[in-house]
Amino acid sequence: MATEAAKTFYLVIKTPEKNFCSEPAEEIILETPSGQIGILPGHEPMVSAVAIGPIRIKKEGEWEEAVLSEGFLEVNQDMVVILVDTAEWPDEIDENRARRAEERAQERLQGKLSRIEYAESRAALQRAISRLKVSSHSHKI
Ligand code: ATP
């Protein structure tokens, strides 16, 4: 008898501060340095860097959104583990703080910066912009 294909995989998202998410998911869509990827149950094993941006998570037929910063992911059998510097749900995002971070990063980018300072300021800007985008959505999309 053929075994039925799994409809979910187990999704774990961790940051150094917290276990952000640990639950079954039907699909995820997130950003990597080489573009957006989608992961469904039965995905072949892989590792990838994770880029700053939104992650969409399908659970029990409903999509939820969160925002991740940089890290790594591993897909292995029926498990996806994502380790990132930071992760927030929309209702955890302080929009004013993100706006201030965006302004600071924009100001820094106007000045003369070393290559490292430039990369850090670009990343800070991207984190702020991503937080603002995700916070303005409702939890369910
Ligand atoms: P800031 O300059 O405002 O600290 P940042 O992008 O440098 O922004 P991070 O280093 O990415 O901040 O995050 C540090 C901690 O603060 C993490 O726990 C992250 O989840 C949280 N955090 C950062 N910005 C926000 C925000 N706008 N709303 C809620 N939590 C935030």
Side-chain angles (χ1 to χ4, degrees):
M1 196 174 84
T3 47
E4 203 185 319
K7 292 193 175 65
T8 61
F9 53 85
Y10 205 78
L11 175 65
V12 173
I13 304 178
K14 284 184 180 201
T15 76
E17 289 172 358
K18 60 191 173 191
N19 291 325
F20 180 71
C21 168
S22 181
E23 59 199 344
E26 287 143 28
E27 185 176 354
I28 57 172
I29 298 172
L30 76 165
E31 304 297 323
T32 77
S34 46
Q36 197 174 66
I37 58 165
I39 298 173
L40 289 160
H43 194 290
E44 63 185 23
M46 72 162 191
V47 292
S48 169
V50 173
I52 297 164
I55 178 169
R56 293 201 283 146
I57 304 167
K58 191 177 180 190
K59 287 185 281 191
E60 295 174 357
E62 304 258 15
W63 285 95
E64 281 191 351
E65 194 170 38
V67 60
L68 305 181
S69 59
E70 284 161 305
F72 294 94
L73 75 83
E74 180 183 23
V75 183
N76 203 351
Q77 295 191 347
D78 55 355
M79 209 160 163
V80 176
V81 179
I82 300 178
L83 304 175
V84 280
D85 289 331
T86 66
E88 297 102 35
W89 298 111
D91 60 4
E92 293 175 332
I93 294 169
D94 177 339
E95 289 196 26
N96 289 327
R97 177 175 169 179
R99 261 188 227 108
R100 288 195 300 272
E102 182 184 15
E103 277 167 25
R104 279 197 308 276
Q106 295 277 23
E107 271 169 30
R108 280 199 306 272
L109 287 164
Q110 304 293 321
K112 191 165 161 42
L113 298 175
S114 69
R115 205 184 281 192
I116 291 173
E117 287 166 338
Y118 178 79
E120 283 173 355
S121 300
R122 288 284 309 173
L125 181 60
Q126 267 182 296
R127 288 195 299 276
I129 291 172
S130 298
R131 286 177 177 132
L132 289 169
K133 271 195 199 146
V134 169
S135 73
S136 60
H137 290 176
S138 69
H139 217 99
K140 297 263 160 65
I141 51 171

